[in-house]
């Protein structure tokens, strides 16, 4: 892998575009081959049923979420470890008691409302990490959001469907939107869909989950009053990520041949552009995990101090939630890496 050393972050040495090595089959070869052959027709059936039929029927949000959970259930993605900043583990669910005292019930209801307020709500923005097509499916199954595509050099976003969000996890990244793309401000989408959250993938392309790329300026298109929730999605094992474009078959094999997979979901406290200025202090800057001049990677368009603080706050939250570091790489480096990889290896 020394030939790809130029695609490592200079400060930390992290290579966010290298694929995760697959585990050898060993004695589990018969079991894994059986699981793959058994699950593949089921996954094709439930996926085609949803994307061709169910998503167009008036079955409501709950019906669509149930169908998406069936898609996640085929490869046994059931074990979801959810943690929310400010909420003790295990206290996300409502409290149930046989005969609660009125005072206790009032306190529990107040506590429950406070806990729910720490989760992404309709009218808010979700800034999610991006490592796998499973990210989009999970977010759709939980929050029923509006998906968008971000680009490094513009504050506007392109509204996309869930299926397009899945395909973007396998696509070669682009620094500019297509000529026929309909770009829109994030604040406009929030006003158009007040009953649904908006999902942004500010890294603009997938990684192997070992670093946070330079964030897009699309986060700067959020209005000052809108809450932004950084959300980190990580997988155990980590080999169902798709840092390489076109890795359809390898993902299907890894996803369907293993008995089960675990998603670790971390949700940070919400942040707004006005709060980001107050939260960015010299003490916090000294604790930053970032080792490269991140602000220099922002292109020609000037950004204000509050906007820089917002990008720093979201990036630091994603790095802290994922227990990784920020890197000074972005879409351009991913494009160069993809070309170098395709010249020497075959993606499958």
């Amino acid at each position: 892998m020394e030939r790809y050393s130029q695609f490592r972050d200079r400060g930390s040495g992290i290579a966010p575009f290298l694929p995760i090595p697959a585990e050898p089959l060993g004695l589990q070869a018969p079991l894994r081959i059986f699981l793959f052959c058994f699950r593949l027709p089921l996954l094709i059936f439930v996926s085609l049923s949803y994307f061709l039929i169910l998503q167009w029927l008036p079955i409501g949000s709950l019906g669509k979420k149930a169908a998406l959970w069936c898609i996640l259930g085929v490869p046994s993605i059931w074990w979801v470890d959810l943690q929310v900043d400010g909420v003790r583990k295990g206290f996300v669910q409502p409290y149930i008691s046989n005969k609660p005292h009125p005072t206790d019930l009032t306190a529990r209801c107040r506590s429950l409302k406070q806990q729910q307020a720490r989760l992404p709500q309709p009218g808010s923005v979700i800034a999610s990490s991006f490592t796998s097509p499973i990210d989009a499916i999970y977010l759709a199954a939980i929050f029923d959001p509006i998906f968008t595509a971000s680009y490094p050099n513009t504050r506007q976003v392109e509204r996309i469907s869930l299926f397009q969000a899945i395909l973007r996890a396998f696509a070669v990244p682009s620094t500019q939107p297509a000529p026929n793309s309909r770009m829109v401000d994030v604040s406009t989408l929030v006003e158009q869909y007040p009953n649904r959250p908006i999902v942004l993938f500010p890294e603009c392309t997938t990684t192997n989950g070992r670093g946070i790329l330079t964030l897009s300026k699309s986060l700067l298109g959020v209005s000052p009053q809108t809450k932004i929730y950084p959300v980190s999605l990580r997988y155990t094992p980590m080999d169902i990520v798709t840092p390489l474009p076109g890795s359809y078959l390898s993902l299907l094999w890894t996803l369907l041949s293993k008995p089960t997979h675990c998603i670790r979901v971390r949700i940070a406290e919400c942040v707004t552009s006005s709060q980001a200025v107050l939260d960015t202090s010299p003490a916090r800057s000294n604790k930053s995990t970032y080792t490269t001049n991140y602000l220099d990677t922002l292109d020609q368009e000037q950004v204000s101090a509050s906007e820089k603080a917002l990008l720093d706050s979201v990036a630091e939250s994603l790095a802290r939630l994922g227990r990784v570091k920020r890197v000074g790489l972005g879409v351009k480096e991913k494009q160069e890496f993809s070309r170098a990889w395709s010249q020497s290896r075959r993606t499958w």
Side-chain angles (χ1 to χ4, degrees):
M1 295 300 177
E2 293 298 330
R3 70 179 66 181
Y4 305 108
S5 59
Q6 68 269 28
F7 302 109
R8 293 181 180 271
D9 180 59
R10 294 182 179 179
S12 61
I14 296 174
F17 306 133
L18 288 176
I20 303 296
E23 296 181 1
L25 292 178
L27 298 178
Q28 294 184 346
L31 173 62
R32 295 186 62 178
I33 294 174
F34 169 77
L35 289 176
F36 178 81
C37 296
F38 176 75
R39 289 172 169 173
L40 182 60
L42 293 178
L43 182 64
I44 295 175
F45 174 76
V46 296
S47 299
L48 292 179
S49 299
Y50 177 79
F51 289 107
L52 296 181
I53 301 175
L54 295 179
Q55 72 168 342
W56 308 109
L57 297 179
I59 58 177
S61 176
L62 291 178
K64 294 180 180 179
K65 289 181 179 181
L68 291 172
W69 274 112
C70 290
I71 296 178
L72 293 175
V74 171
S76 295
I77 306 178
W78 294 109
W79 311 109
V80 181
D81 180 14
L82 173 62
Q83 291 187 16
V84 183
D85 280 357
V87 178
R88 287 188 299 169
K89 188 175 181 180
F91 278 78
V92 178
Q93 298 296 329
Y95 174 78
I96 300 177
S97 177
N98 293 330
K99 294 181 180 181
H101 189 273
T103 305
D104 295 338
L105 181 60
T106 303
R108 293 290 182 178
C109 291
R110 186 182 300 110
S111 177
L112 178 60
K113 291 181 180 180
Q114 294 175 353
Q115 295 166 9
Q116 294 294 332
R118 295 181 180 272
L119 297 175
Q121 303 291 327
S124 63
V125 172
I126 299 174
S128 174
S129 60
F130 197 20
T131 60
S132 171
I134 307 300
D135 298 343
I137 299 176
Y138 174 80
L139 292 173
I142 296 298
F143 300 109
D144 188 27
I146 300 294
F147 288 96
T148 63
S150 298
Y151 299 91
N153 302 322
T154 177
R155 302 187 182 205
Q156 292 187 316
V157 297
E158 178 186 3
R159 187 195 169 185
I160 58 177
S161 64
L162 170 60
F163 187 69
Q164 290 174 314
I166 294 173
L167 293 182
R168 286 184 70 87
F170 302 101
V172 177
S174 176
T175 57
Q176 299 291 341
N180 58 347
S181 300
R182 299 183 61 180
M183 306 299 291
V184 64
D185 293 330
V186 180
S187 57
T188 303
L189 288 178
V190 174
E191 294 177 358
Q192 291 179 350
Y193 302 95
N195 297 324
R196 301 174 68 181
I198 310 298
V199 168
L200 272 66
F201 297 106
E203 294 177 279
C204 304
T205 185
T206 54
T207 68
N208 57 13
R210 293 177 174 173
I212 299 298
L213 304 182
T214 301
L215 299 191
S216 167
K217 298 177 185 176
S218 59
L219 286 170
L220 305 181
V222 181
S223 62
Q225 298 79 18
T226 302
K227 296 180 179 179
I228 302 175
Y229 290 87
V231 176
S232 173
L233 303 174
R234 293 176 62 83
Y235 302 92
T236 303
M238 293 182 59
D239 52 3
I240 58 173
V241 296
T242 55
L244 290 177
S247 52
Y248 299 95
L249 296 180
S250 60
L251 175 70
L252 280 176
W253 165 254
T254 306
L255 187 65
L256 299 179
S257 64
K258 292 190 175 181
T260 186
H261 303 273
C262 176
I263 305 180
R264 300 178 183 272
V265 185
R266 302 293 184 266
I267 303 177
E269 293 185 6
C270 64
V271 62
T272 62
S273 58
S274 57
Q275 292 176 345
V277 179
L278 300 176
D279 292 341
T280 305
S281 60
R284 180 171 180 173
S285 300
N286 293 336
K287 297 180 180 179
S288 174
T289 59
Y290 190 66
T291 55
T292 310
N293 192 352
Y294 168 66
L295 299 180
D296 287 347
T297 62
L298 296 178
D299 291 331
Q300 299 175 355
E301 182 183 351
Q302 297 294 326
V303 295
S304 64
S306 61
E307 291 172 338
K308 292 178 181 179
L310 176 63
L311 293 175
D312 278 337
S313 177
V314 175
E316 283 295 326
S317 294
L318 289 175
R320 175 178 56 83
L321 295 174
R323 297 181 180 179
V324 295
K325 294 183 178 181
R326 297 164 60 185
V327 298
L329 306 176
V331 174
K332 292 182 180 179
E333 289 76 14
K334 174 71 173 287
Q335 291 176 333
E336 296 174 0
F337 174 83
S338 300
R339 286 193 292 266
W341 184 273
S342 61
Q343 291 175 357
S344 58
R345 296 169 180 264
R346 178 177 298 178
T347 301
W348 61 277

